[in-house]
Amino acid sequence: MSAMILDGKAVALQIQAEIAAEVTQFRQATGVVPCLVAVLVGDNPASEVYVRNKQKTCEKVGMTSRLERLPSSARPEELLQLIGRLNADVSVHGILVQLPLPTGWDTNQVLDAVSPAKDVDAFGPENVGLICQGRPRFLPCTPHGVLQLLARYNIEVSGKHAVVVGRSDIVGKPLAMLLMQRTGPVGDKVANATVTVCHSQTKNLAEVTQQADILIVAIGRANAIKKEHVKAGAVVIDVGINRIDTGIVGDVDFESVSSVASAITPVPGGVGPLTIAMLLKNTLTAAMQQNGVSR
Ligand code: NDP
């Protein structure tokens, strides 16, 4: 079997075009330009690339974006003060604090400080709570990107066994939450899964992952998932982004797994571009909500 490629880049471009049309309409109706501010502390090279890509894509869809930088020598209080100013600035609709923060900083304290109305990453406790209750203000970007990919390729999830490998607050945990909900944010077909979550303490990982109809991997271990982990015909979504000597690879060994899976995402060009597209969608949603406009 040779797996169908789930082209995240193409789907992201399609979603970006939809967002651009909505932004044009919103700007014409209100005169307001949605604005995302990215906050970067220190000089982590990977974070620099992520922030630049997010800003570039923002501009492509007719939004503005601004970068606020603090040196790694800054004190956490300076970041909290900056966030306070951005919370109060009515021309700023979305705030994104690029993670990771410097070692030793309290990430939760920082994320808690972002106004829930501007928390377009949906990392703060109020937005996480709303997601868990099935009434999200914003959807978490990477999990939402995965749902969009499944929906737009007509891959039904309802009643299937979805195995999520990784339980981070950013990817694994919210994704498992969204997949198990009765009414999914992108339709009932991409909801109602029977979900199993695996992590570093899971015994006999391959035994569990082999049961997956839909296998989603977000562990940050280059090429860790091989064909021995995958049931024939499974759909495999690789969230991982790992920099190795030969370039960027996912958590899934693409060559090995595409010989048994029915569909698979490439890395790069899979989930990554969708994450950015969903961030823009949240920024537009935030601008709409802050200006009393409903979708
Ligand atoms: P974290 O490091 O926060 O979490 C990794 C998770 O994987 C943890 O739950 C950990 O278990 C689990 N894990 C680690 N090793 C194993 C293993 N050998 N077997 C089973 N589980 C394991 O990572 P993130 O969730 O933030 O990111 C995961 C990957 O996704 C990274 O490569 C990251 O770069 C990428 N990523 C990609 C995005 C995109 O847009 N495509 C967006 C965000 C992340 P435990 O909890 O027990 O430690």
Side-chain angles (χ1 to χ4, degrees), residues 35-251:
C35 172
L36 174 71
V37 174
V39 180
L40 189 55
V41 185
D43 46 15
N44 178 326
S47 295
E48 299 265 355
V49 174
Y50 292 142
V51 165
R52 212 174 312 127
N53 283 342
K54 287 169 187 173
Q55 286 195 289
K56 261 202 303 208
T57 321
C58 243
E59 280 145 28
K60 266 200 220 159
V61 300
M63 302 188 190
T64 55
S65 73
R66 215 169 77 210
L67 175 60
E68 294 278 356
R69 279 176 178 280
L70 287 176
S72 49
S73 58
R75 286 171 298 111
E77 298 76 55
E78 290 173 61
L79 177 57
L80 296 175
Q81 282 162 9
L82 171 61
I83 292 171
R85 287 197 297 278
L86 296 173
N87 285 342
D89 183 342
V90 291
S91 70
V92 174
H93 305 104
I95 303 169
L96 170 158
V97 181
Q98 185 64 47
L99 302 179
L101 293 170
T103 313
W105 286 40
D106 182 347
T107 301
N108 281 335
Q109 188 192 27
V110 171
L111 297 180
D112 288 358
V114 177
S115 160
K118 298 187 179 185
D119 171 25
V120 286
D121 264 331
F123 287 165
E126 184 175 316
N127 284 313
V128 172
L130 290 170
I131 292 160
C132 289
Q133 291 186 344
R135 49 187 189 118
R137 177 190 281 125
F138 304 119
L139 290 167
C141 302
T142 302
H144 187 193
V146 171
L147 298 190
Q148 285 286 349
L149 192 64
L150 293 168
R152 288 172 192 246
Y153 273 96
N154 276 320
I155 295 170
E156 187 151 358
V157 168
S158 182
K160 303 270 176 67
H161 188 185
V163 175
V164 179
V165 191
R167 58 175 164 186
S168 72
D169 290 342
I170 292 172
V171 187
K173 214 187 277 177
L175 185 55
M177 192 60 64
L178 291 171
L179 288 167
M180 77 169 79
Q181 284 179 351
R182 194 171 286 126
T183 308
V186 300
D188 297 354
K189 282 186 174 174
V190 189
N192 289 301
T194 302
V195 181
T196 301
V197 179
C198 301
H199 44 75
S200 68
Q201 305 308 305
T202 298
K203 302 262 185 273
N204 303 321
L205 181 68
E207 254 176 46
V208 185
T209 55
Q210 270 167 12
Q211 295 168 34
D213 301 310
I214 318 274
L215 177 62
I216 305 173
V217 189
I219 57 177
R221 303 272 180 269
N223 297 323
I225 300 296
K226 311 277 184 195
K227 68 177 179 200
E228 295 73 29
H229 291 88
V230 180
K231 177 169 81 176
V235 172
V236 178
I237 308 284
D238 186 357
V239 179
I241 300 177
N242 306 287
R243 284 177 174 73
I244 60 170
D245 292 346
T246 51
I248 290 178
V249 296
D251 292 341

Side-chain angles (χ1 to χ4, degrees), residues 21-34 284 287-288 291-294:
E22 273 196 283
V23 170
T24 304
Q25 244 181 359
F26 173 73
R27 287 176 63 158
Q28 279 165 357
T30 62
V32 174
V33 183
L284 174 60
M288 289 171 119
N291 287 279
V293 176
S294 53

